[in-house]
Amino acid sequence: MKRRELINLIGLGTLAPLTGVAATSKKSKKPALRIAHLTDIHLNDNKDAVRNFRNCLQHLQMLGDPADVVFNGGDCIMDALGVEDKSRVDLQWNTFERSYQSESDLEIIHCIGNHDVWAGTSKTDPLYGKKYATERLNLDKPYYSFDRAGWHFIVLDSTHPVGEGWYTARLDEEQMAWLKDDLEKTPSDASVFVMSHIPILSVSVFYTDNVKNNAWQVPGGWMHLDFLDIQKLFLAHGNVKLCVSGHMHLIDQLNYNGINYVCNGAVSGSWWSDPYYHESKAGYAMINLYADGSFEREFVHYDWS
C-alpha cells in the first residue's frame, strides 16, 4: 500500500504532548533511543479489534520520527485469567502474534499483564499460570533487565496471585531480592527505565468514587502494594528516571521524589468497545530517551476504523 493511501486509510492522528515530565530535555537533542510503549492491547479474534490493532501498528510506523523499538506493557490478549479452555487462550495468543507480525517488523520487548496469566482449572498443566505467557512471549522469566543506548532497562512482573485466579500488585520476595541486586549491579551513571504492567505509583487509581467511611479505598490490584519498599530501593540508588505502566487504561503523569511515573493508557481503549475509557482515548506513548538521562514522552491517539 502506498504511503498516501495508508494515510488516507488510518489518518495520522494528533500528538498530545504531556509537558513537565522531561523538563531537562530539549527538542534539538538527538534521542539515544526512541520507544513506542503499547500497553493493554487485549486482543482476541474479534474482527474490529484485530483491524484496529493493525491500524495502530500502521499508524505507529507512519510517524515522521519512527520508533527504534516497541515496548509491550502487558495484557496482550483479552483474557486468560478467567478462561478454562486452553484452546481459547491459544486462539488469543495466535491472533496477537499474527497481527503483530503482519504489520510490524520492529523488535518488541514484552512485559506480562494480569490478563496474560492463565488460571485454568488444571493446576497440574505445565503451562498453568505465568508459564503460558512466558512461553508465548519467548521469555525465560517474567522479569528481567538489559542495557541499551546507555540506559539500563528493568521489566517487572506486577501480578502476584492471590486465591483462585485473582491477584494483587506486588513483587514476591524472590523478585524483590532480584531487583535490589540488579540495582546494586547497575553503574551509578547509568539512567534506569522501569516498565511494569500495573503502576508502581499512579494518580489514575483515584479516577472513580472509591471513598468509603471518609477514606479512599484503592483496590490492591490497581497499584503496587509494595510501592514504599520499591521507592526506597529507587531512592537509594538515585538513577531511576522513568517508570512506565498501563493496566488502568488511563493516562497520567506524576513526579515523586524526583522519579517520574507515567501510566500510558490503552491501545484497546475501553476493551475495544469504545475508543474512550472515561476521559482517556485509545493510543500509545512515544518516548525519547537521551544520553544525559533526560527524556520526553508524548501520547499519540490513532484513528479507529
Coordinates of all heavy atoms in Angstrom, one line a residue, residues 172-204:
D172 N 7.0 -10.6 44.5 CA 7.3 -11.6 45.6 C 8.7 -11.4 46.1 O 9.5 -10.6 45.7 CB 7.0 -13.0 45.0 CG 7.9 -13.4 43.9 OD1 9.0 -12.7 43.7 OD2 7.6 -14.3 43.1
E173 N 9.0 -12.2 47.1 CA 10.3 -12.0 47.8 C 11.5 -12.2 46.9 O 12.5 -11.5 46.9 CB 10.4 -12.9 49.0 CG 9.5 -12.6 50.2 CD 9.6 -13.5 51.4 OE1 10.6 -14.4 51.3 OE2 8.9 -13.4 52.3
E174 N 11.3 -13.2 46.0 CA 12.4 -13.5 45.1 C 12.7 -12.4 44.1 O 13.8 -12.0 43.8 CB 12.1 -14.8 44.3 CG 13.1 -15.2 43.3 CD 12.8 -16.5 42.5 OE1 12.0 -17.3 43.1 OE2 13.2 -16.6 41.4
Q175 N 11.6 -11.8 43.6 CA 11.7 -10.7 42.6 C 12.2 -9.5 43.3 O 13.0 -8.7 42.7 CB 10.4 -10.5 41.9 CG 10.6 -9.5 40.8 CD 9.3 -9.2 40.0 OE1 9.3 -8.4 39.0 NE2 8.2 -9.9 40.4
M176 N 11.8 -9.2 44.5 CA 12.3 -8.0 45.2 C 13.8 -8.1 45.5 O 14.5 -7.2 45.3 CB 11.5 -7.9 46.6 CG 11.9 -6.6 47.3 SD 11.4 -5.1 46.5 CE 9.6 -5.0 47.0
A177 N 14.2 -9.3 45.9 CA 15.7 -9.5 46.1 C 16.4 -9.4 44.8 O 17.5 -8.8 44.8 CB 15.9 -10.9 46.7
W178 N 15.9 -9.9 43.7 CA 16.5 -9.7 42.4 C 16.6 -8.3 42.0 O 17.6 -7.8 41.5 CB 15.7 -10.5 41.3 CG 16.1 -10.2 39.9 CD1 17.1 -10.8 39.2 CD2 15.6 -9.2 39.1 NE1 17.3 -10.3 38.0 CE2 16.3 -9.2 37.9 CE3 14.6 -8.2 39.2 CZ2 16.1 -8.4 36.8 CZ3 14.4 -7.4 38.1 CH2 15.1 -7.4 36.9
L179 N 15.5 -7.5 42.2 CA 15.5 -6.1 41.9 C 16.6 -5.3 42.7 O 17.3 -4.5 42.1 CB 14.1 -5.5 42.2 CG 14.0 -4.0 42.0 CD1 14.3 -3.6 40.5 CD2 12.6 -3.5 42.4
K180 N 16.7 -5.6 44.0 CA 17.7 -5.0 44.8 C 19.1 -5.3 44.3 O 20.0 -4.4 44.1 CB 17.6 -5.5 46.2 CG 18.6 -4.9 47.2 CD 18.4 -5.4 48.6 CE 19.4 -4.7 49.5 NZ 19.3 -5.2 50.9
D181 N 19.4 -6.6 43.9 CA 20.7 -7.0 43.4 C 20.9 -6.3 42.0 O 22.1 -5.9 41.8 CB 20.7 -8.5 43.3 CG 22.1 -9.0 42.8 OD1 23.1 -8.8 43.5 OD2 22.1 -9.6 41.7
D182 N 19.9 -6.3 41.2 CA 20.1 -5.7 39.9 C 20.4 -4.2 40.0 O 21.3 -3.7 39.2 CB 18.8 -5.9 39.1 CG 18.9 -5.4 37.6 OD1 19.5 -6.2 36.8 OD2 18.5 -4.3 37.3
L183 N 19.8 -3.5 40.8 CA 20.1 -2.0 41.0 C 21.5 -1.8 41.6 O 22.2 -0.9 41.2 CB 19.0 -1.4 41.9 CG 17.7 -1.2 41.2 CD1 16.6 -0.7 42.3 CD2 17.7 -0.1 40.1
E184 N 21.9 -2.7 42.5 CA 23.2 -2.6 43.1 C 24.3 -2.8 42.0 O 25.4 -2.2 42.1 CB 23.4 -3.6 44.2 CG 22.6 -3.2 45.5 CD 22.7 -4.2 46.6 OE1 23.2 -5.3 46.3 OE2 22.2 -4.0 47.7
K185 N 24.0 -3.7 41.0 CA 25.0 -4.0 40.0 C 25.0 -3.0 38.9 O 25.9 -2.9 38.1 CB 24.7 -5.4 39.4 CG 24.9 -6.5 40.3 CD 24.6 -7.9 39.7 CE 24.8 -9.0 40.6 NZ 24.4 -10.3 40.0
T186 N 24.0 -2.1 38.8 CA 23.9 -1.1 37.8 C 24.8 0.1 38.1 O 24.7 0.6 39.2 CB 22.4 -0.6 37.6 OG1 21.6 -1.7 37.4 CG2 22.3 0.4 36.5
P187 N 25.7 0.5 37.2 CA 26.6 1.6 37.4 C 25.8 2.9 37.8 O 24.7 3.1 37.3 CB 27.3 1.8 36.1 CG 27.2 0.5 35.4 CD 25.9 -0.1 35.8
S188 N 26.3 3.7 38.7 CA 25.6 4.8 39.2 C 25.4 5.9 38.1 O 24.5 6.7 38.2 CB 26.4 5.5 40.3 OG 27.7 5.9 39.9
D189 N 26.1 5.8 37.0 CA 26.0 6.8 35.9 C 25.1 6.3 34.8 O 24.9 7.0 33.8 CB 27.3 7.2 35.4 CG 28.1 6.0 34.8 OD1 27.7 4.9 35.0 OD2 29.1 6.3 34.1
A190 N 24.5 5.2 35.0 CA 23.5 4.6 34.0 C 22.1 5.0 34.4 O 21.7 4.8 35.5 CB 23.6 3.1 33.9
S191 N 21.4 5.6 33.5 CA 20.0 6.0 33.8 C 19.1 4.8 33.7 O 19.3 3.9 32.8 CB 19.5 7.1 32.8 OG 20.3 8.2 32.8
V192 N 18.1 4.7 34.6 CA 17.3 3.5 34.7 C 15.9 3.8 34.2 O 15.2 4.8 34.7 CB 17.3 2.9 36.1 CG1 16.4 1.7 36.3 CG2 18.7 2.6 36.5
F193 N 15.3 2.9 33.4 CA 14.0 2.9 32.9 C 13.3 1.6 33.4 O 13.8 0.5 33.2 CB 14.0 2.9 31.4 CG 12.7 2.9 30.6 CD1 12.3 4.0 30.0 CD2 11.9 1.8 30.6 CE1 11.1 4.0 29.2 CE2 10.7 1.7 29.9 CZ 10.3 2.9 29.2
V194 N 12.1 1.8 34.0 CA 11.4 0.6 34.6 C 10.0 0.5 33.9 O 9.3 1.5 33.7 CB 11.2 0.8 36.1 CG1 10.4 -0.4 36.6 CG2 12.5 1.0 36.8
M195 N 9.7 -0.7 33.4 CA 8.4 -1.0 32.9 C 7.7 -2.0 33.7 O 8.3 -3.1 34.0 CB 8.5 -1.5 31.4 CG 7.2 -1.9 30.8 SD 7.1 -2.1 29.0 CE 8.2 -3.5 28.8
S196 N 6.5 -1.7 34.1 CA 5.7 -2.7 34.8 C 4.3 -2.6 34.2 O 3.9 -1.6 33.6 CB 5.6 -2.4 36.3 OG 5.0 -1.1 36.5
H197 N 3.5 -3.7 34.3 CA 2.2 -3.6 33.8 C 1.3 -2.8 34.7 O 0.6 -1.8 34.3 CB 1.6 -5.0 33.6 CG 0.1 -5.0 33.2 ND1 -0.3 -4.5 32.0 CD2 -1.0 -5.3 33.9 CE1 -1.6 -4.6 31.9 NE2 -2.1 -5.0 33.0
I198 N 1.3 -3.1 36.0 CA 0.5 -2.4 36.9 C 1.3 -1.2 37.5 O 2.5 -1.4 37.7 CB 0.0 -3.3 38.1 CG1 -0.8 -4.4 37.5 CG2 -0.8 -2.5 39.1 CD1 -1.2 -5.5 38.5
P199 N 0.7 0.0 37.6 CA 1.5 1.1 38.1 C 2.2 0.9 39.4 O 1.5 0.4 40.4 CB 0.5 2.3 38.2 CG -0.6 1.9 37.3 CD -0.7 0.4 37.3
I200 N 3.4 1.3 39.5 CA 4.1 1.3 40.8 C 3.5 2.4 41.7 O 3.2 2.3 42.9 CB 5.6 1.5 40.6 CG1 6.2 0.3 39.9 CG2 6.3 1.7 42.0 CD1 7.6 0.5 39.5
L201 N 3.3 3.6 41.0 CA 2.6 4.7 41.7 C 1.8 5.4 40.6 O 2.3 5.6 39.5 CB 3.6 5.7 42.3 CG 3.1 6.9 43.0 CD1 2.3 6.5 44.2 CD2 4.2 7.9 43.4
S202 N 0.6 5.8 40.9 CA -0.3 6.4 39.9 C -1.4 7.3 40.6 O -1.9 6.9 41.6 CB -0.9 5.3 39.0 OG -1.8 5.9 38.1
V203 N -1.8 8.3 39.9 CA -3.0 9.1 40.3 C -4.2 8.6 39.7 O -5.3 8.9 40.1 CB -2.8 10.6 40.0 CG1 -1.7 11.2 40.8 CG2 -2.7 10.9 38.5
S204 N -4.1 7.7 38.7 CA -5.2 7.2 37.9 C -6.1 6.3 38.8 O -7.3 6.0 38.5 CB -4.8 6.4 36.7 OG -4.1 5.2 37.0

